[in-house]
Amino acid sequence: MDICIFGGAFDPIHKGHIAIAMSAVKKFHFDKLLFMVSNEPPHKSSHTAPFMHRLNMVNLALSELGDKFGVTDIEAKLNDLSYTYNSLYALKKIYTDDNIFFLVGSDIFASIKQWYNYKKLFDLAHFIIGCRPGISFSDMIESVPDDIKKKIEDKDKIELFEIDSFNISSSEIRKCIKKYLEYLPSNVAKYIINNNLYNKEV
């Protein structure tokens, strides 16, 4: 099988994330796409909502999308900082006979030189890079080291993916839940309200 891993904080998950995932499955014909909820990222401040709440929200958002979409809690099981290399290594042990793809935004991939063991990541997965608002592919390519530029040029386990998605971020949503309710799956919006996750009146 071809399995795509879509990593992120999903703090909270929103319709933009869903649109990216659905577009990727449609374009690349993945057999399965798993949302990988990050535990504690090494290059960012702590998440606003605890892991289990973010995992629950992803499960709610995916509840009506069908069998091709799922979620993995592998990063919590590893019980360490969310290094992509460690997570993909662990997933490769689970899906030994499958092809692993990793879906990531251009804004995140631009910092790949800072990632742990970044040169060995491509032994574990084929990278699908989606163009996100805020950083174009040309800007991203300027930011990455020369060996990665060469891989992009040669399409060596890296493929660029033009995506149509909502121009919205989780950080914007957290600042004003009421303003951005329409960008959230309805069951996720209810979950946030019921659990008072972001301490905002809605």
Side-chain angles (χ1 to χ4, degrees):
M1 289 200 306
D2 289 342
I3 300 175
C4 181
I5 309 299
F6 184 12
F10 306 115
D11 191 18
I13 188 170
H14 53 70
K15 291 180 180 178
H17 294 131
I18 301 298
I20 291 169
M22 293 182 72
S23 295
V25 168
K26 182 177 180 180
K27 179 175 176 61
F28 297 103
H29 308 289
F30 295 127
D31 298 295
K32 192 85 173 176
L33 185 143
L34 298 177
F35 284 71
M36 183 171 73
V37 183
S38 61
N39 188 19
E40 189 63 38
H43 305 303
K44 293 175 68 175
S45 58
S46 296
H47 300 116
T48 303
F51 176 85
M52 285 310 300
H53 279 308
R54 291 181 287 113
L55 184 72
N56 290 341
M57 286 189 285
V58 171
N59 274 313
L60 286 170
L62 302 185
S63 61
E64 298 180 356
L65 292 188
D67 294 339
K68 278 185 179 271
F69 299 90
V71 62
T72 174
D73 60 354
I74 191 71
E75 296 213 333
K77 289 178 178 177
L78 292 175
N79 199 30
D80 61 8
L81 291 176
S82 293
Y83 290 111
T84 301
Y85 178 84
N86 291 348
S87 302
L88 289 177
Y89 186 83
L91 286 168
K92 194 64 180 172
K93 284 187 171 181
I94 297 171
Y95 301 105
T96 53
D97 297 324
D98 300 307
N99 301 313
I100 303 294
F101 296 79
F102 188 73
L103 176 61
V104 63
S106 54
D107 52 341
I108 304 299
F109 191 79
S111 65
I112 192 169
K113 191 175 181 179
Q114 301 172 30
W115 297 19
Y116 171 67
N117 243 357
Y118 85 86
K119 293 186 178 184
K120 294 185 177 181
L121 286 169
F122 305 95
D123 296 332
L124 302 173
H126 185 120
F127 274 59
I128 306 294
I129 305 170
C131 189
R132 290 290 306 278
I135 182 165
S136 65
F137 281 139
S138 58
D139 289 340
M140 178 201 76
I141 291 169
E142 284 299 311
S143 301
V144 301
D146 289 342
D147 57 334
I148 299 299
K149 286 186 176 73
K150 183 69 165 57
K151 290 182 77 67
I152 293 172
E153 181 181 334
D154 295 342
K155 294 186 177 180
D156 178 16
K157 290 200 170 181
I158 298 180
E159 186 155 356
L160 306 185
F161 172 38
E162 292 284 356
I163 53 178
D164 296 320
S165 65
F166 296 83
N167 189 9
I168 189 66
S169 69
S170 294
S171 58
E172 288 178 277
I173 293 172
R174 290 196 302 269
K175 289 175 185 176
C176 188
I177 296 293
K178 184 177 181 180
K179 181 178 178 181
Y180 296 113
L181 278 177
E182 65 183 292
Y183 292 97
L184 296 166
S186 59
N187 51 7
V188 172
K190 288 177 183 177
Y191 187 91
I192 290 170
I193 294 166
N194 291 340
N195 290 279
N196 193 30
L197 290 185
Y198 302 109
N199 298 313
K200 303 290 183 184
E201 292 185 7
V202 293

